[in-house]
Amino acid sequence: MKSSRIIGIAVVFLAVLNVVLLTLLWWGKPDQHIKNGMEGLLILEQELGLTDEQLEQLKRLRHNHFIEVNRLRDRMHEAREQLHGLYGKPEVVALTDSLSQVIGDSQARIEQATFNHFMKIRDLCAQEQVQVFDAIIMSVLKQGAPHSRMPPPQKKKRRGP
């Protein structure tokens, strides 16, 4: 009787602990919403010591940049969906080439838009802010570099001849 009561209490405790942990994982860290949307803006504002006017111009540039990039990402996503919808269909080589070209073109335009966006931000900076801005950009590029590469394929032992 006593052991079943202890097991019941343990089960309830573990269930509550599980709910708490899942809740923490679901919502993430308390400042996660800041990191996802505004971290870059806050870093630039703090590190560069932007004036109110520069900050307003930066917000406008950022807004316009995200509109442009989201439009291109939507275009790329639609082309990917169409491309992957062609599995099993005959005679689709020309269409797959065309859709692949749209995907590549969209990605190239995103890269160009991002470069132009950062050049516009750099142009907003006063002379003493430019070096700090350049250092921030180089730091961000170095941080992102390893994540953009795929890991090398695992070597598998071959069986057979």
CSV table of all heavy atoms in Angstrom, one decimal, residues 82-116:
chain,number,residue,atom,x,y,z
A,82,GLN,N,7.0,24.1,-56.2
A,82,GLN,CA,6.7,23.6,-57.6
A,82,GLN,C,7.7,22.6,-58.0
A,82,GLN,O,7.4,21.5,-58.6
A,82,GLN,CB,6.7,24.8,-58.6
A,82,GLN,CG,5.5,25.7,-58.4
A,82,GLN,CD,5.6,26.9,-59.3
A,82,GLN,OE1,6.4,26.9,-60.3
A,82,GLN,NE2,4.8,27.9,-59.1
A,83,LEU,N,9.0,22.8,-57.8
A,83,LEU,CA,10.1,21.9,-58.2
A,83,LEU,C,9.9,20.6,-57.5
A,83,LEU,O,9.9,19.5,-58.2
A,83,LEU,CB,11.4,22.5,-57.8
A,83,LEU,CG,12.7,21.7,-58.1
A,83,LEU,CD1,12.8,21.5,-59.7
A,83,LEU,CD2,13.9,22.3,-57.5
A,84,HIS,N,9.6,20.5,-56.3
A,84,HIS,CA,9.5,19.3,-55.6
A,84,HIS,C,8.2,18.6,-55.8
A,84,HIS,O,8.0,17.4,-55.5
A,84,HIS,CB,9.8,19.4,-54.1
A,84,HIS,CG,11.2,19.8,-53.8
A,84,HIS,ND1,12.3,18.9,-54.0
A,84,HIS,CD2,11.8,21.0,-53.5
A,84,HIS,CE1,13.4,19.5,-53.7
A,84,HIS,NE2,13.2,20.7,-53.4
A,85,GLY,N,7.2,19.3,-56.4
A,85,GLY,CA,6.0,18.7,-56.8
A,85,GLY,C,6.1,18.0,-58.1
A,85,GLY,O,5.1,17.3,-58.6
A,86,LEU,N,7.2,18.0,-58.7
A,86,LEU,CA,7.4,17.3,-60.0
A,86,LEU,C,7.9,15.9,-59.9
A,86,LEU,O,8.1,15.3,-61.0
A,86,LEU,CB,8.4,18.2,-60.9
A,86,LEU,CG,8.0,19.6,-61.2
A,86,LEU,CD1,9.1,20.3,-62.0
A,86,LEU,CD2,6.7,19.5,-62.1
A,87,TYR,N,8.1,15.4,-58.7
A,87,TYR,CA,8.6,14.0,-58.6
A,87,TYR,C,7.6,13.1,-59.3
A,87,TYR,O,6.4,13.1,-59.1
A,87,TYR,CB,8.7,13.6,-57.1
A,87,TYR,CG,9.8,14.4,-56.4
A,87,TYR,CD1,9.5,15.0,-55.2
A,87,TYR,CD2,11.1,14.4,-56.9
A,87,TYR,CE1,10.5,15.7,-54.5
A,87,TYR,CE2,12.1,15.1,-56.2
A,87,TYR,CZ,11.8,15.8,-55.0
A,87,TYR,OH,12.8,16.4,-54.4
A,88,GLY,N,8.2,12.2,-60.0
A,88,GLY,CA,7.4,11.1,-60.7
A,88,GLY,C,6.7,11.6,-62.0
A,88,GLY,O,6.0,10.8,-62.6
A,89,LYS,N,6.8,12.8,-62.4
A,89,LYS,CA,6.2,13.3,-63.6
A,89,LYS,C,7.2,13.2,-64.7
A,89,LYS,O,8.3,13.4,-64.6
A,89,LYS,CB,5.7,14.7,-63.4
A,89,LYS,CG,4.6,14.8,-62.4
A,89,LYS,CD,4.1,16.2,-62.3
A,89,LYS,CE,3.0,16.2,-61.2
A,89,LYS,NZ,2.5,17.6,-61.0
A,90,PRO,N,6.7,12.8,-65.9
A,90,PRO,CA,7.6,12.6,-67.1
A,90,PRO,C,7.9,13.9,-67.7
A,90,PRO,O,7.2,14.9,-67.6
A,90,PRO,CB,6.7,11.7,-68.0
A,90,PRO,CG,5.3,12.1,-67.7
A,90,PRO,CD,5.3,12.4,-66.2
A,91,GLU,N,9.1,13.9,-68.4
A,91,GLU,CA,9.5,15.1,-69.2
A,91,GLU,C,9.4,16.4,-68.5
A,91,GLU,O,8.7,17.3,-68.9
A,91,GLU,CB,8.6,15.1,-70.5
A,91,GLU,CG,8.6,13.8,-71.3
A,91,GLU,CD,9.9,13.5,-71.8
A,91,GLU,OE1,10.7,14.3,-72.2
A,91,GLU,OE2,10.2,12.2,-71.9
A,92,VAL,N,10.2,16.5,-67.4
A,92,VAL,CA,10.1,17.8,-66.6
A,92,VAL,C,11.5,18.5,-66.6
A,92,VAL,O,11.7,19.4,-65.8
A,92,VAL,CB,9.6,17.5,-65.2
A,92,VAL,CG1,8.2,17.1,-65.2
A,92,VAL,CG2,10.5,16.5,-64.5
A,93,VAL,N,12.4,18.0,-67.4
A,93,VAL,CA,13.8,18.5,-67.3
A,93,VAL,C,13.8,20.1,-67.6
A,93,VAL,O,14.4,20.8,-66.8
A,93,VAL,CB,14.7,17.8,-68.4
A,93,VAL,CG1,16.1,18.5,-68.4
A,93,VAL,CG2,14.8,16.4,-68.0
A,94,ALA,N,13.1,20.5,-68.6
A,94,ALA,CA,13.1,22.0,-68.9
A,94,ALA,C,12.5,22.8,-67.7
A,94,ALA,O,13.0,23.8,-67.4
A,94,ALA,CB,12.4,22.2,-70.2
A,95,LEU,N,11.4,22.2,-67.2
A,95,LEU,CA,10.7,22.9,-66.1
A,95,LEU,C,11.6,22.9,-64.8
A,95,LEU,O,11.7,23.9,-64.1
A,95,LEU,CB,9.4,22.3,-65.8
A,95,LEU,CG,8.5,23.0,-64.8
A,95,LEU,CD1,8.3,24.4,-65.2
A,95,LEU,CD2,7.1,22.3,-64.7
A,96,THR,N,12.3,21.8,-64.5
A,96,THR,CA,13.2,21.8,-63.4
A,96,THR,C,14.3,22.7,-63.5
A,96,THR,O,14.7,23.4,-62.6
A,96,THR,CB,13.7,20.3,-63.1
A,96,THR,OG1,14.4,19.9,-64.2
A,96,THR,CG2,12.6,19.4,-62.7
A,97,ASP,N,14.9,22.8,-64.7
A,97,ASP,CA,15.9,23.8,-65.0
A,97,ASP,C,15.4,25.2,-64.8
A,97,ASP,O,16.1,26.0,-64.2
A,97,ASP,CB,16.5,23.7,-66.4
A,97,ASP,CG,17.3,22.4,-66.6
A,97,ASP,OD1,17.7,21.8,-65.6
A,97,ASP,OD2,17.5,22.1,-67.8
A,98,SER,N,14.2,25.5,-65.3
A,98,SER,CA,13.7,26.9,-65.1
A,98,SER,C,13.4,27.2,-63.6
A,98,SER,O,13.7,28.3,-63.2
A,98,SER,CB,12.4,26.9,-65.9
A,98,SER,OG,11.7,28.2,-65.6
A,99,LEU,N,12.8,26.3,-62.9
A,99,LEU,CA,12.5,26.5,-61.5
A,99,LEU,C,13.8,26.6,-60.7
A,99,LEU,O,13.9,27.5,-59.8
A,99,LEU,CB,11.7,25.4,-60.9
A,99,LEU,CG,10.2,25.4,-61.4
A,99,LEU,CD1,9.5,24.1,-61.0
A,99,LEU,CD2,9.5,26.6,-60.9
A,100,SER,N,14.8,25.8,-61.0
A,100,SER,CA,16.1,25.9,-60.3
A,100,SER,C,16.8,27.3,-60.6
A,100,SER,O,17.4,27.9,-59.7
A,100,SER,CB,17.1,24.8,-60.8
A,100,SER,OG,16.6,23.6,-60.5
A,101,GLN,N,16.6,27.8,-61.8
A,101,GLN,CA,17.1,29.1,-62.2
A,101,GLN,C,16.4,30.2,-61.3
A,101,GLN,O,17.0,31.1,-60.9
A,101,GLN,CB,16.9,29.4,-63.7
A,101,GLN,CG,17.5,30.6,-64.2
A,101,GLN,CD,19.1,30.5,-64.1
A,101,GLN,OE1,19.7,29.5,-64.3
A,101,GLN,NE2,19.7,31.7,-63.8
A,102,VAL,N,15.1,30.1,-61.1
A,102,VAL,CA,14.4,31.0,-60.3
A,102,VAL,C,14.9,31.0,-58.9
A,102,VAL,O,15.1,32.1,-58.3
A,102,VAL,CB,12.8,30.7,-60.4
A,102,VAL,CG1,12.1,31.5,-59.3
A,102,VAL,CG2,12.3,31.0,-61.7
A,103,ILE,N,15.1,29.8,-58.4
A,103,ILE,CA,15.6,29.7,-57.0
A,103,ILE,C,17.0,30.3,-56.9
A,103,ILE,O,17.2,31.1,-55.9
A,103,ILE,CB,15.7,28.2,-56.6
A,103,ILE,CG1,14.2,27.6,-56.5
A,103,ILE,CG2,16.4,28.0,-55.3
A,103,ILE,CD1,14.2,26.1,-56.4
A,104,GLY,N,17.9,30.0,-57.8
A,104,GLY,CA,19.2,30.6,-57.8
A,104,GLY,C,19.2,32.1,-57.9
A,104,GLY,O,19.9,32.8,-57.3
A,105,ASP,N,18.4,32.6,-58.8
A,105,ASP,CA,18.3,34.0,-59.1
A,105,ASP,C,17.7,34.7,-57.8
A,105,ASP,O,18.2,35.8,-57.5
A,105,ASP,CB,17.3,34.3,-60.3
A,105,ASP,CG,17.2,35.7,-60.6
A,105,ASP,OD1,18.2,36.4,-60.8
A,105,ASP,OD2,16.0,36.2,-60.5
A,106,SER,N,16.8,34.1,-57.2
A,106,SER,CA,16.2,34.7,-56.0
A,106,SER,C,17.2,34.8,-54.9
A,106,SER,O,17.4,35.8,-54.2
A,106,SER,CB,15.0,33.9,-55.5
A,106,SER,OG,14.0,34.0,-56.4
A,107,GLN,N,18.0,33.7,-54.7
A,107,GLN,CA,19.1,33.7,-53.7
A,107,GLN,C,20.1,34.8,-54.0
A,107,GLN,O,20.6,35.5,-53.1
A,107,GLN,CB,19.7,32.4,-53.5
A,107,GLN,CG,20.7,32.3,-52.4
A,107,GLN,CD,20.1,32.5,-51.1
A,107,GLN,OE1,19.0,32.0,-50.7
A,107,GLN,NE2,20.7,33.4,-50.3
A,108,ALA,N,20.5,34.9,-55.3
A,108,ALA,CA,21.5,35.9,-55.7
A,108,ALA,C,21.0,37.3,-55.4
A,108,ALA,O,21.7,38.2,-54.9
A,108,ALA,CB,21.8,35.7,-57.1
A,109,ARG,N,19.7,37.5,-55.7
A,109,ARG,CA,19.1,38.8,-55.4
A,109,ARG,C,19.0,39.1,-53.9
A,109,ARG,O,19.2,40.3,-53.5
A,109,ARG,CB,17.7,38.9,-56.0
A,109,ARG,CG,17.8,39.0,-57.5
A,109,ARG,CD,16.4,39.1,-58.1
A,109,ARG,NE,16.4,39.1,-59.5
A,109,ARG,CZ,15.7,39.8,-60.3
A,109,ARG,NH1,14.8,40.7,-59.8
A,109,ARG,NH2,15.8,39.8,-61.6
A,110,ILE,N,18.8,38.1,-53.1
A,110,ILE,CA,18.8,38.3,-51.6
A,110,ILE,C,20.2,38.7,-51.2
A,110,ILE,O,20.3,39.7,-50.4
A,110,ILE,CB,18.3,37.0,-50.9
A,110,ILE,CG1,16.8,36.8,-51.1
A,110,ILE,CG2,18.7,37.1,-49.4
A,110,ILE,CD1,16.3,35.5,-50.6
A,111,GLU,N,21.2,38.1,-51.7
A,111,GLU,CA,22.6,38.4,-51.3
A,111,GLU,C,22.9,39.8,-51.7
A,111,GLU,O,23.5,40.6,-51.0
A,111,GLU,CB,23.6,37.4,-51.9
A,111,GLU,CG,23.4,36.0,-51.5
A,111,GLU,CD,23.7,35.8,-50.0
A,111,GLU,OE1,24.5,36.5,-49.4
A,111,GLU,OE2,23.0,35.0,-49.3
A,112,GLN,N,22.5,40.2,-52.9
A,112,GLN,CA,22.8,41.6,-53.4
A,112,GLN,C,22.0,42.6,-52.6
A,112,GLN,O,22.6,43.6,-52.2
A,112,GLN,CB,22.4,41.7,-54.9
A,112,GLN,CG,22.8,43.0,-55.5
A,112,GLN,CD,24.3,43.2,-55.6
A,112,GLN,OE1,25.1,42.3,-56.0
A,112,GLN,NE2,24.8,44.3,-55.2
A,113,ALA,N,20.8,42.3,-52.3
A,113,ALA,CA,20.0,43.2,-51.5
A,113,ALA,C,20.6,43.4,-50.1
A,113,ALA,O,20.6,44.5,-49.5
A,113,ALA,CB,18.5,42.7,-51.4
A,114,THR,N,21.1,42.3,-49.5
A,114,THR,CA,21.7,42.4,-48.2
A,114,THR,C,23.0,43.2,-48.2
A,114,THR,O,23.2,44.0,-47.4
A,114,THR,CB,22.0,41.0,-47.7
A,114,THR,OG1,20.7,40.3,-47.6
A,114,THR,CG2,22.6,41.0,-46.3
A,115,PHE,N,23.8,43.0,-49.2
A,115,PHE,CA,25.0,43.8,-49.4
A,115,PHE,C,24.6,45.3,-49.5
A,115,PHE,O,25.2,46.1,-48.9
A,115,PHE,CB,25.8,43.3,-50.6
A,115,PHE,CG,27.0,44.1,-50.9
A,115,PHE,CD1,28.2,43.9,-50.2
A,115,PHE,CD2,27.0,45.2,-51.8
A,115,PHE,CE1,29.3,44.7,-50.4
A,115,PHE,CE2,28.1,45.9,-52.0
A,115,PHE,CZ,29.3,45.7,-51.3
A,116,ASN,N,23.7,45.6,-50.4
A,116,ASN,CA,23.3,47.0,-50.6
A,116,ASN,C,22.7,47.6,-49.3
A,116,ASN,O,23.0,48.7,-49.0
A,116,ASN,CB,22.3,47.1,-51.7
A,116,ASN,CG,22.8,46.8,-53.1
A,116,ASN,OD1,24.1,46.9,-53.3
A,116,ASN,ND2,22.0,46.4,-54.0
